[in-house]
Amino acid sequence: LLRKMSLNPTRIAFIKLLRSCGADIDIIPQTKSLEPMGDVVVRSSVLRHFQISGRQVPGLIDEIPLLALIATQAKGKTVIRGAKELRYKESDRISATVEMLRSLGAEAEELEDGMIIRGDTVLRGGRVDARGDHRIAMTASIAGLLSRGPVEVHGWSSVEISYPNFYSILERIGRS
């Protein structure tokens, strides 16, 4: 149960995509405020591969590294295209994401404007260079919850700038 989540349309594109590939996610809207808010209930589920194309990218751009990690656990081959702008973020997020997944034992291929990830993978753990990018550091840290072995994230402190409570929340999730 994730309480008081932003339900802004640009944030729930992520949830809609996950639902379309089999995720068991319920949204419980709360009373209206300036920003749509609500509780989100997530249950364990078996996911199918998914496709992300250019027109979907703007609503998912910040979540693509995490979606790539999720794709390693989904059944089938996930293809992400039309996301060339990821090359110009805090790091080259296409290259950094593919390198991160490979270093953890996933099968991932870098494309000019995206990536291909083969799913149903048991991640083994390993070392990840976050390249000073908070989204890569957070995704690699989350991978530690899924991996057989530990995930060592070099550059993890970049998360402090954008999400100071991230590691305390991740620790609580890991205990449950």
Side-chain angles (χ1 to χ4, degrees):
L1 172 63
L2 306 166
R3 295 192 182 277
K4 296 183 181 176
M5 299 292 295
S6 170
L7 299 178
N8 183 303
T10 62
R11 289 293 166 211
I12 62 172
F14 175 73
I15 293 172
K16 288 179 181 179
L17 174 69
L18 291 175
R19 280 176 160 174
S20 77
C21 64
D24 186 357
I25 301 174
D26 291 320
I27 296 175
I28 305 163
Q30 294 181 353
T31 55
K32 302 245 180 196
S33 62
L34 289 175
E35 180 79 12
M37 302 286 285
D39 295 340
V40 179
V41 179
V42 182
R43 292 174 199 85
S44 179
S45 43
V46 176
L47 300 179
R48 296 178 303 279
H49 66 279
F50 49 90
Q51 310 279 325
I52 298 175
S53 63
R55 69 178 192 284
Q56 295 170 287
V57 168
L60 299 169
I61 195 72
D62 290 335
E63 289 83 12
I64 287 178
L66 180 58
L67 286 166
L69 174 64
I70 290 168
T72 69
Q73 304 305 296
K75 303 240 180 257
K77 178 176 75 171
T78 293
V79 179
I80 301 170
R81 300 298 307 250
K84 192 170 184 176
E85 72 181 88
L86 285 174
R87 294 211 182 267
Y88 310 104
K89 297 291 186 178
E90 289 84 346
S91 70
D92 176 342
R93 283 194 186 145
I94 292 173
S95 174
T97 299
V98 168
E99 179 182 296
M100 170 192 59
L101 296 177
R102 286 179 179 166
S103 72
L104 300 176
E107 196 175 331
E109 176 184 344
E110 184 174 336
L111 305 173
E112 181 182 337
D113 67 340
M115 60 197 84
I116 299 171
I117 302 108
R118 289 181 183 43
D120 221 4
T121 302
V122 176
L123 300 176
R124 65 174 179 258
R127 291 184 171 169
V128 173
D129 179 359
R131 299 187 186 184
D133 189 323
H134 62 283
R135 297 212 185 268
I136 301 300
M138 288 189 285
T139 301
S141 299
I142 292 167
L145 298 176
L146 305 172
S147 298
R148 281 189 178 160
V151 175
E152 183 180 328
V153 182
H154 296 275
W156 61 269
S157 62
S158 61
V159 171
E160 294 296 318
I161 296 165
S162 64
Y163 197 167
N165 296 331
F166 175 79
Y167 285 107
S168 62
I169 292 167
L170 188 65
E171 185 177 327
R172 280 197 332 247
I173 291 168
R175 285 193 306 253
S176 44

